[in-house]
Each structure stands twice: as structure tokens, then as C-alpha cells.
Amino acid sequence: MRFPMPVFDANSQGNEGFGNLPEWDLSDLYPDPDSPELKRDLDWLAGECADFAKTYEGKLADLDAAALLQAVQRYEQIDVIAGRVMSFAGLRYYQITTDSDRAKFMADCQDKITAHTTPLVFYSLEFNRLEDDHLNRLLAENADLARYKPVFDRMRALKPYQLSDELEKFLHDQSTVGSAAWNRLFDETMAGLEFDVDDETLNLEATLNLLTEKDRAKREAATHALAAVFRDNIKIFARVHNTLAKEKEIEDRWRKMPSPQTGRHLSNHVEAEVVEALRNAVVAAYPRLSHRYYALKAKWLGLDRMQVWDRNAPLPMKDDTIVDWDQAQDIVMSAYADFDPKMADIARPFFTDGWIDAGVKPGKAPGAFAHPTVTPVHPYVMLNYMGKPRDVMTLAHELGHGVHQVLAAEQGELLSSTPLTLAETASVFGEMLTFRKLLDGAQTPQERKTLLAGKVEDMINTVVRQIAFYDFECKLHAARAEGELTPDDINALWMSVQAESLGPIFDFADGYETFWAYIPHFVHSPFYVYAYAFGDGLVNALYAVYQEGDPDFREKYFDMLRAGGSKHHKELLAPFGLDASDPTFWEKGLSMISGMIDELEAMED
């Protein structure tokens, strides 16, 4: 079932002075873990999955269009109920990952869902054995069935890589003790780590937050504390990565996947050559993006050389004002309303109806995410809000996801889910709207410079850093295919991409080679990270069209979000005159970043 993992975003610990931070009200999913509604749904799921298999296994090829539509709609409802259960269990767990009762509840729910849905494994396998002519004839006969064609196309894209029914059932059955178990070990290990910084014991989130402190000594101390704890636990993290990469290599080999990245490209409904064009464009742009910006930043900080703890240092001209929760809400909501009041209307219930969990709490998962749950309910947003301007941008980002998920829910469960490459569109666009509103309101050149530098830094983290992460993963999986990797092997792979992406101005402190260990995406979602760069480049191109004054842009934009996963990226971008498969497409987005750096350099003259 679809359940996104937390996205790393550096925040800190404690909630004092930020106003009344909201917490989730999960009762729209289920009243509580012991509720009769939850038991009813699990009982229904067990019976319905068994009956579905009894009714349809071995018989899909004999169904007419109306009967096949009924089968698809029954499968969709099973997806809704299973997704509802796991959304509730997962969201409760991420509120306090150190709570053993919540962890057990989520694991028990996952075990039950896996057991109940194992009889359904036949469905996609058998569906993919339908003859093309036969399926096309059924689609032509029934418009309601034809509406699901994008779902069928994605299923059938996996046809060359599917295994026997028996093996597929085995993989489904053992998943809870395979990657899911290693994911959980990673999460629980990370949540339990403690870091000693200047005689204070902090969790991971609070320690990472110190890397954005103005006091350079504090940033350095935090870096050394992180390095020390990662080094002490590096064998665990190396074991997690070795096992998951090997498990993936074995399954990919059995499926005859041509590369470790193929599965991600298929799930993202994007061509390998498009991702390669994106990757190559970004790597070629390193010198005029990150290398140039960090040289500027070193000058602002009065440094001849940058250390790794200076990468996220606040700028000397940065305003230290704390943005309380009400201010953050006003900033983001007004930016959304300026674009279109309809966008603000969609976003409002997140603030009023318990759809956001904002405060930092012991044991809470780090970072931020927006989880769509299931289409009959609504999304939930998780933040770790600490009142920094960056946290306001994170709110704008996750709220963009939420708006997208609300609109896409109109498609229904099977068609609403958006590929990762397009899932970042509304979030990054929401950030851009908020940034542009703040930039337009800048009162002084210094304020404008601060905003521009902050945005460039965020974009470098989204584009350059994520493509460097992608290169690290590619190297890691290629190396693991040749044999077991020691922690030093993985450290070396990590460092091989850091100097290239950050540039010659940086020195790398002893211990930084272990910093791959805390990135959750490598564990939860291999090769996920390029989606951030994809989304940023796509939004920059979209925003350029918006700035050019297309009178129909807003309606086209909402139509794109409503489409969810029902259209390919070519279809979605065509109304805007854009094409991601065009080699020059990515250059447009990268040029927006380099143009901002141009303006920052001009301010130095």
C-alpha cells in the first residue's frame, strides 16, 4: 500500500514561542486502534480478498467488459480499505516511533494486510497475460472500463519482468520480514540515537538543526557529534544497506530488470533516457551552480575555505526573526490566495481540521511529508516546525502536496496516485509562489539578497544535492552487485560524489564520510531522490510560462493536478508547450537558478 516515508528536512527540538502548533486528528481514519470500525474493515478485507480470488482467479480472460469493470472496481475498494488501515497505523507510528505499542500495532496491521491480500497476487499477473487485442476490444466496448487504461498500461509495463504466480506470492508473503523489517530497523535505530553537543544530549533532528546555527563553533561541534555517533553505529547502517541492495539485486536479476534503476523508472512512468538527460544536465551545471554559489557564500562568511559545517550556515545578513505558526500560516495562505483563491480554499482545512501535525516531540519521525491516505478521506501533513524561514517554505511545500492530493482524489483510488516525478510539482510550485511573494515584498536590497540567497541554497539542495545522492546510489548498487561492501567502501563511494557536487571551495572534515548513513531515502525508496530534481526543473519551466502571462495558466494548472496519475508527463505538460523529453527542457530550469546567482554576484559589484 502506498505510504511515503518521511522526507528529511533539518529542524530542531522544542516548540516554545511558535504559537499553538496543531496536532493530527486521525479520527477521520479510525477513532482508535481498538475501534470496532477498524476490526470491521479488517474482517471485511479478509473475506473480500478470499472471495475475489475465488471469483476471478483463472477466469479474467473469460470476462466481458462489464464483468471486468466490476472486478477492477472491487479491487479498487480493497485497495481503499487496506490503504486506510495502513495509513492509520503508519501515521500513529510516525508520531512516536519509539513507542513499542505503536510499532507493534503497525507491524501487526502490516502482517494482517499482507496475509489477507496474498490471494490477490494472481490479479496483476493474470491481467498481464490478457492478449492486447482482447483487452483493447473490451476497452472500446466500455467507456467506464477504458477510464482505467492508464492503470492497465502501468501494470502491463511490468509484464516483461513478472515472475511465476508462485514466486510472486512468495515475494509478497515474505516482504514483512524482508525490506520492511530492515526499513523498520533503520527507523528505530535512527529514532533512538543520541548526540552529545556541548554537554547537552540531543536527538538526530535537534542535532541536524545545529548545522544551521549562526555560531560556527556550534555547527562544528554538531558535525563532530554526528560523525562520532554515525561511526559508532556504522556497522548497522552498512548491514542495512548491504542487505537491501543485495535483496534488490537478487529480485531484479530474477525479474531480468536491465538496471537497478529500472523499477523506479517504471513506477515513475518516466523513460530512463529522460532521467539520464536530467542527471547529465545537472552534473554539467555543477560549476555554474553549486561551485559558484558556495564560492560567493564563503566570501560572505569571510572564509577562504568552506568546511562541511558551513554548507547550511545562515548568511551574515540573515534576519534571525522567529516566525510563529500564525504568521507562517498567513504567509503561505496569502501566497496561495494571490495565485488563485481556490488554492487557499483547498488548503484551509489542513489548518482548521487537524490535518497537520507540526510540533517537534520526542520520538517523532524527523523531517516532513504529506501522506495522501486514501481518496475517500483526505491527506495529512507532518512537519517539525521550529519557526525558521526555511520551515515556512517546508510548510508551503508540504501544503502543495496536500492540495495536489485533494484534487487528484477526484480520480479515485487507482488513478489518483501520482508518479514521484510529478508528485513534486505542486509542492515545489507552492514553495515558488511563497518565495516570489516574499521577494516582491522585499523592502531593501539587503532583504532581497537574503531571500535570493536562501532560495538558491534550497534549489541547490533540491537539484544538485539530490542528483549527487542519485549518483551515490547508482555507485552503491553497482558496487554491491560485485560483492559485500565494508563501511569504508560505502564511505568512499559517498565521498566520490561530494567533492564533485559541492566544489573546490570545500574541505571535508574527518567523519563526514559517514553522513550517508542518516539519509532515509536510500533505505526506504531506492533512487527516489532524482524526483526532487525532476520536480524542481519542471516547476521552474512551468513558472516561466506563468510569468509570461498565459491567461489560461491557472485552469491548466488545476487540470494538471486533478489528473493525478491518469496521464503521462508528456500529456500533462503539452498544454503549457513543454516537453521533458526535449534535451533543452532541463536547461530552462537550471538557467533560472544560475540567473539568481548572476543577480547575487551583481550585488557584490
Side-chain angles (χ1 to χ4, degrees):
M1 295 305 137
R2 48 197 175 92
F3 187 78
M5 295 301 119
V7 175
F8 164 70
D9 184 54
N11 295 302
S12 69
Q13 195 168 21
N15 301 310
E16 299 82 6
F18 309 130
N20 187 22
L21 297 179
E23 294 187 355
W24 281 332
D25 175 1
L26 299 180
S27 62
D28 288 343
L29 291 166
Y30 294 103
D32 59 68
D34 298 317
S35 67
E37 293 90 344
L38 178 58
K39 182 180 185 305
R40 175 204 65 203
D41 282 356
L42 284 169
D43 290 345
W44 177 88
L45 201 61
E48 178 64 5
C49 290
D51 189 65
F52 186 93
K54 181 180 176 182
T55 303
Y56 296 113
E57 190 165 9
K59 304 169 188 173
L60 285 186
D62 300 327
L63 301 180
D64 62 17
L68 184 58
L69 173 62
Q70 184 180 35
V72 171
Q73 290 173 334
R74 284 183 66 180
Y75 187 89
E76 185 168 38
Q77 185 57 24
I78 289 171
D79 209 31
V80 168
I81 299 303
R84 188 176 195 132
V85 171
M86 286 314 302
S87 293
F88 179 68
L91 292 172
R92 283 186 76 251
Y93 171 70
Y94 280 113
Q95 281 182 303
I96 315 177
T97 60
T98 51
D99 184 329
S100 57
D101 289 338
R102 292 182 184 228
K104 172 179 164 48
F105 177 73
M106 185 175 76
D108 288 347
C109 285
Q110 184 65 73
D111 287 346
K112 289 174 184 176
I113 296 295
T114 301
H116 295 341
T117 57
T118 293
L120 306 183
V121 171
F122 82 91
Y123 175 73
S124 61
L125 305 175
E126 195 171 317
F127 197 99
N128 281 351
R129 289 196 288 266
L130 296 178
E131 295 294 334
D132 289 342
D133 289 346
H134 172 68
L135 179 59
N136 290 335
R137 186 168 61 253
L138 296 181
L139 296 178
E141 292 172 6
N142 191 307
D144 290 334
L145 182 65
R147 190 176 153 282
Y148 289 94
K149 186 177 184 299
V151 179
F152 304 153
D153 288 345
R154 286 197 289 274
M155 286 170 59
R156 291 168 81 81
L158 296 170
K159 183 176 179 177
Y161 311 111
Q162 71 186 34
L163 303 173
S164 69
D165 292 14
E166 187 176 34
L167 273 175
E168 293 288 0
K169 286 180 180 178
F170 168 75
L171 289 173
H172 179 85
D173 243 0
Q174 67 88 49
S175 62
T176 56
V177 293
S179 58
W182 289 97
N183 281 194
R184 186 173 156 191
L185 173 64
F186 173 84
D187 288 339
E188 292 176 357
T189 302
M190 274 297 164
L193 294 183
E194 294 183 336
F195 304 84
D196 294 325
V197 185
D198 295 340
D199 299 322
E200 187 178 4
T201 300
L202 304 172
N203 65 9
L204 175 64
E205 199 78 6
T207 310
L208 289 169
N209 181 70
L210 295 178
L211 300 180
T212 65
E213 284 291 318
K214 182 175 287 186
D215 183 346
R216 193 176 192 224
K218 182 73 80 172
R219 298 197 307 270
E220 180 178 357
T223 301
H224 292 316
L226 289 164
V229 175
F230 293 157
R231 188 183 288 119
D232 287 345
N233 292 273
I234 203 68
K235 289 185 178 179
I236 294 176
F237 297 125
R239 172 58 47 221
V240 169
H241 282 69
N242 266 291
T243 303
L244 288 172
K246 185 61 179 177
E247 182 187 54
K248 188 178 192 314
E249 185 273 327
I250 292 168
E251 185 171 333
D252 285 351
R253 177 160 35 87
W254 276 77
R255 292 188 183 282
K256 296 182 171 57
M257 293 272 188
S259 76
Q261 299 84 3
T262 298
R264 178 62 62 199
H265 298 337
L266 287 169
S267 67
N268 283 343
H269 204 41
V270 66
E271 300 75 19
E273 55 270 24
V274 172
V275 177
E276 190 65 13
L278 163 65
R279 181 263 171 203
N280 291 342
V282 173
V283 171
Y286 284 169
R288 60 189 173 92
L289 299 181
S290 50
H291 297 189
R292 192 160 58 119
Y293 173 74
Y294 287 127
L296 260 182
K297 185 168 185 176
K299 181 179 176 183
W300 296 332
L301 294 172
L303 300 172
D304 293 327
R305 304 285 303 160
M306 291 269 276
Q307 298 291 337
V308 289
W309 51 80
D310 298 318
R311 185 176 65 84
N312 284 323
L315 301 172
M317 61 278 199
K318 192 169 183 178
D319 187 354
D320 289 331
T321 302
I322 292 294
V323 184
D324 70 29
W325 180 251
D326 288 342
Q327 289 175 302
Q329 178 179 340
D330 289 344
I331 290 167
V332 175
M333 287 290 280
S334 62
Y336 277 27
D338 286 351
F339 173 72
D340 194 304
K342 182 165 43 180
M343 183 178 280
D345 290 342
I346 296 168
R348 191 163 290 108
F350 284 86
F351 295 98
T352 59
D353 294 359
W355 299 4
I356 299 178
D357 195 299
V360 179
K361 290 164 278 192
K364 184 177 176 181
F369 63 78
H371 178 38
T373 72
V374 288
T375 53
V377 188
H378 56 75
Y380 283 92
V381 163
M382 193 193 84
L383 305 171
N384 279 274
Y385 190 81
M386 289 305 299
K388 295 189 174 184
R390 185 177 181 187
D391 296 336
V392 179
M393 288 300 174
T394 300
L395 171 61
H397 180 103
E398 300 304 339
L399 205 59
H401 277 308
V403 168
H404 193 177
Q405 290 159 0
V406 168
L407 288 168
E410 299 172 16
Q411 295 290 338
E413 195 67 19
L414 294 182
L415 284 162
S416 65
S417 185
T418 309
L420 292 174
T421 43
L422 297 172
E424 292 300 322
T425 304
S427 55
V428 179
F429 195 84
E431 273 192 82
M432 184 65 80
L433 291 173
T434 305
F435 164 70
R436 289 292 179 181
K437 181 175 180 63
L438 293 171
L439 191 67
D440 291 344
Q443 301 295 310
T444 64
Q446 190 80 333
E447 188 178 348
R448 183 177 179 86
K449 181 178 181 179
T450 302
L451 286 165
L452 275 172
K455 185 60 177 173
V456 167
E457 216 159 280
D458 284 345
M459 293 169 101
I460 286 173
N461 281 334
T462 302
V463 178
V464 170
R465 187 161 167 80
Q466 300 302 328
I467 289 300
F469 283 179
Y470 177 67
D471 276 357
F472 166 72
E473 285 191 275
C474 291
K475 291 184 175 188
L476 175 74
H477 285 262
R480 182 63 183 91
E482 300 299 319
E484 178 87 6
L485 300 176
T486 67
D488 286 344
D489 291 335
I490 304 177
N491 292 347
L493 295 175
W494 173 255
M495 293 307 297
S496 73
V497 302
Q498 292 302 302
E500 179 188 23
S501 62
L502 294 177
I505 195 71
F506 274 93
D507 291 327
F508 297 94
D510 182 44
Y512 181 70
E513 68 275 5
T514 64
F515 274 47
W516 54 268
Y518 78 89
I519 310 296
H521 297 92
F522 302 156
V523 175
H524 293 304
S525 308
F527 306 108
Y528 177 110
V529 290
Y530 72 73
Y532 290 112
F534 194 108
D536 199 274
L538 190 154
V539 166
N540 287 343
L542 268 179
Y543 201 84
V545 175
Y546 172 53
Q547 286 186 307
E548 288 163 7
D550 181 347
D552 300 320
F553 182 89
R554 290 169 180 79
E555 279 311 307
K556 290 177 185 176
Y557 180 73
F558 283 118
D559 285 344
M560 179 176 69
L561 300 191
R562 283 192 195 95
S566 68
K567 294 182 179 179
H568 188 267
H569 62 77
K570 277 184 174 289
E571 294 176 90
L572 290 172
L573 293 176
F576 302 96
L578 300 171
D579 181 359
S581 63
D582 182 345
T584 63
F585 173 83
W586 301 112
E587 191 55 42
K588 295 176 184 176
L590 297 173
S591 293
M592 178 177 284
I593 305 174
S594 61
M596 290 181 182
I597 300 173
D598 289 343
E599 184 174 346
L600 287 169
E601 285 183 333
M603 289 179 174
E604 298 298 297
D605 297 337

